[in-house]
Amino acid sequence: MKIDKRHLLNYSILIPYLILSVLGLIVVYSTTSATLVQIGASSFGSVLNQGIFWLISLIAISFIYKIKLNFLKKRQFIFFVIAIEVVLLLLSRFVGARVNGAHGWLRLGPISIQPAEYLKIILVWFLAYTFSRRQEEIEVYDYQSLTKNQLIPRALNDWRWISLILIGLVAILPDLGNATILILTALIMVSVSGIAYRWFSTILMTIVAFASVILGSIWVMGVDRVAKIPVFGYVAKRFSAFFNPFEDLSGAGHQLANSYYAMSNGGWFGLGLGNSIEKRGYLPEAQTDFVFSIVIEEFGFVGASLILALLFFLILRIILVGIRAKNPFNSMMALGVGGMMLMQTFINIGGISGLIPSTGVTFPFLSQGGNSLLVLSVAIAFVLNIDANEKRDSLYRELEDTYHG
């Protein structure tokens, strides 16, 4: 008996994804149309570009859902994709366009590729493959099976070296926002690999302590001195705004201060769709990094909370797929995707609210950015496929037990 995967589609993931994607198109139009009209361009320019990426995403979801995922477990294919990603990251650093102080984009005619975005799903895939192959060792030797009792890995093909090199290439763009997401995603992947909880706690406390030392050092040294450090000079402005955004309203603190104004303007129920004041030239990057500030201004605290609740529901359903999965690779892949989306959401919200320094990270689905939407869609497609395969295998086991019983 053959079970068709079409009947196993997880609508509790697909429907929230579709709603958030459509909301994203509406928000992109709302945040970009006025600015485009001011420069004499079509008010639909940005939303049409986003719409094209969404159509490509839907085609990708349809294709990925139907295929067998065994190719994801082939070592040669994984390292081939990683090699291409390394080349793209190097090209974006030394050849790519410079935007807001960072090299992160490769322009191919009208299309811009952001390799750092694609690295998110590649890192989850690579670590899920690596850790799933060591489950028997992890059960016996715990965390030591991942490190071979080596504080510093001796071989360049060690997962720690590969992860460090990939994240380092993103950091030197410099794209510290995506680098932070990658670090936290890697931490999540290590924690769900089967190791004891105490190791996760130790790693997390180490990262918190390291981040505290960095922030404290910048505060003691002063932002002006940090700004003189090669490569990371522009990042110092973000830290300056984090410490006191109202000290330099015309400079470093301009974005964060206007983000506060936007959220204050929104109140409980918002000014109404399209009626934002801050998006009309007051809040730079209103369609990308600070899009949720505009969402709060137009939809209010109540509307923005409902959108955030829908996103968290989607993430929790993805995590639930990982928890229920019997196959270690499938489980870690789904948990990694859910963790990656959760980290991106928290970092964006933290940045626009001043809880952490602004990192330039986009808000999932709502921010303008075709590459981000495509990566999130591909990640959703993998989770849908994994969930369908797990359900089908479970049904086959039940049928077999019934037959033999």
Side-chain angles (χ1 to χ4, degrees):
M1 178 181 177
K2 185 177 181 180
I3 302 175
D4 196 327
K5 287 173 68 174
R6 289 180 300 175
H7 304 300
L8 302 175
L9 187 60
N10 191 330
Y11 289 99
S12 66
I13 291 177
L14 180 63
I15 292 176
Y17 160 76
L18 294 174
I19 294 174
L20 287 167
S21 298
V22 172
L23 276 173
L25 295 176
I26 295 172
V27 170
V28 168
Y29 177 76
S30 176
T31 53
T32 60
S33 56
T35 304
L36 290 173
V37 169
Q38 288 177 358
I39 63 175
S42 170
S43 61
F44 292 95
S46 295
V47 73
L48 285 175
N49 182 70
Q50 190 86 348
I52 291 171
F53 269 97
W54 188 47
L55 290 176
I56 295 173
S57 298
L58 292 177
I59 295 171
I61 289 175
S62 178
F63 174 74
I64 293 173
Y65 184 72
K66 294 177 181 178
I67 64 175
K68 295 181 179 180
L69 295 180
N70 290 334
F71 74 96
L72 290 178
K73 301 175 185 178
K74 294 182 178 180
R75 179 182 175 86
Q76 294 84 352
F77 183 56
I78 293 175
F79 280 90
F80 174 72
V81 172
I82 289 176
I84 292 176
E85 176 68 15
V86 169
V87 171
L88 291 176
L89 285 171
L90 289 172
L91 287 174
S92 64
R93 175 62 183 89
F94 298 106
V95 180
R98 185 182 179 91
V99 180
N100 294 331
H103 298 270
W105 290 262
L106 290 173
R107 300 195 186 280
L108 302 175
I111 301 175
S112 293
I113 299 176
Q114 191 176 4
E117 286 289 342
Y118 297 92
L119 182 56
K120 295 174 185 176
I121 189 64
I122 292 173
L123 185 65
V124 169
W125 170 27
F126 166 67
L127 293 179
Y129 164 80
T130 301
F131 298 156
S132 65
R133 289 169 57 88
R134 301 183 181 180
Q135 288 302 290
E136 293 183 0
E137 296 178 35
I138 292 173
E139 289 181 7
V140 178
Y141 299 108
D142 199 16
Y143 183 71
Q144 285 80 0
S145 64
L146 301 181
T147 62
K148 304 297 184 182
N149 286 322
Q150 299 170 9
L151 181 61
I152 300 176
R154 297 175 184 174
L156 284 177
N157 63 352
D158 186 283
W159 67 271
R160 289 173 293 170
W161 271 122
I162 294 172
S163 301
L164 184 62
I165 290 170
L166 291 172
I167 296 172
L169 288 173
V170 174
I172 65 172
L173 289 175
D175 186 349
L176 297 188
N178 278 320
T180 302
I181 293 175
L182 291 168
I183 291 171
L184 294 175
T185 301
L187 170 63
I188 289 172
M189 296 301 295
V190 171
S191 67
V192 302
S193 65
I195 63 172
Y197 176 77
R198 66 180 184 276
W199 290 108
F200 169 73
S201 303
T202 301
I203 296 171
L204 180 60
M205 287 189 292
T206 302
I207 290 178
V208 171
F210 179 75
S212 300
V213 169
I214 293 295
L215 284 174
S217 300
I218 293 174
W219 182 73
V220 171
M221 292 172 60
V223 175
D224 293 337
R225 291 184 180 179
V226 176
K228 297 177 181 179
I229 300 176
V231 180
F232 297 103
Y234 96 102
V235 179
K237 295 181 179 179
R238 297 183 184 272
F239 282 102
S240 176
F242 169 68
F243 291 129
N244 189 352
F246 295 99
E247 187 176 5
D248 186 12
L249 289 175
S250 61
H254 182 74
Q255 278 188 312
L256 186 55
N258 280 279
S259 174
Y260 290 156
Y261 295 149
M263 290 186 280
S264 176
N265 291 340
W268 285 102
F269 300 104
L271 301 178
L273 181 63
N275 293 328
S276 165
I277 299 171
E278 293 298 322
K279 72 182 181 183
R280 302 177 186 277
Y282 297 102
L283 178 58
E285 310 301 332
Q287 75 279 15
T288 53
D289 309 3
F290 288 82
V291 71
F292 204 69
S293 300
I294 304 302
V295 169
I296 296 174
E297 187 178 16
E298 295 192 343
F299 293 91
F301 177 79
V302 173
S305 296
L306 291 174
I307 294 173
L308 202 57
L310 181 62
L311 177 58
F312 283 146
F313 174 79
L314 171 62
I315 294 172
L316 288 174
R317 294 301 300 181
I318 291 171
I319 292 174
L320 188 61
V321 169
I323 293 173
R324 290 176 173 174
K326 302 298 183 183
N327 182 283
F329 174 82
N330 291 346
S331 177
M332 280 182 265
M333 191 77 182
L335 289 170
V337 167
M340 177 262 291
M341 291 176 60
L342 190 63
M343 291 302 101
Q344 182 169 341
T345 303
F346 277 136
I347 290 175
N348 179 271
I349 296 296
I352 69 170
S353 60
L355 295 176
I356 61 174
S358 175
T359 57
V361 170
T362 56
F363 190 89
F365 301 108
L366 300 190
S367 292
Q368 179 188 359
N371 289 277
S372 176
L373 178 60
L374 181 57
V375 168
L376 291 170
S377 300
V378 168
I380 293 288
F382 282 132
V383 173
L384 289 173
N385 197 332
I386 286 169
D387 183 61
N389 282 327
E390 288 287 334
K391 288 178 179 175
R392 186 165 59 181
D393 291 343
S394 178
L395 289 172
Y396 281 142
R397 285 192 296 268
E398 290 178 7
L399 290 171
E400 186 177 353
D401 292 341
T402 302
Y403 177 77
H404 290 294

